[in-house]
Amino acid sequence: MQPFADAATQLCPYCGEEVEVDVDSLGASTESYVEDCPVCCRPWQVRVTRDDDGASVMLGRDDD
């Protein structure tokens, strides 16, 4: 059985700290949403893309 969510390790685009982002392995091929950094509390723009190889995550600044 495949886990419902995977953890992707990324760097916060504001404070540069390494953070884990939980990503559902199933869902739309692309999605984006806002999530706050657990270290500096600034908002990220999370972009998730999914394909046959799994999900990939990119974090951007919400003020870009």
Side-chain angles (χ1 to χ4, degrees), residues 25-42:
S25 55
L26 301 174
S29 61
T30 60
E31 70 176 301
S32 64
Y33 57 92
V34 175
E35 184 173 324
D36 291 340
C37 175
V39 177
C40 70
C41 300
R42 306 273 314 261

Side-chain angles (χ1 to χ4, degrees), residues 5-39:
D6 296 316
T9 302
Q10 297 285 310
L11 296 178
C12 174
Y14 292 102
C15 67
E17 289 291 323
E18 190 173 272
V19 293
E20 284 192 356
V21 180
D22 290 330
V23 179
D24 293 340
S25 55
L26 301 174
S29 61
T30 60
E31 70 176 301
S32 64
Y33 57 92
V34 175
E35 184 173 324
D36 291 340
C37 175
V39 177

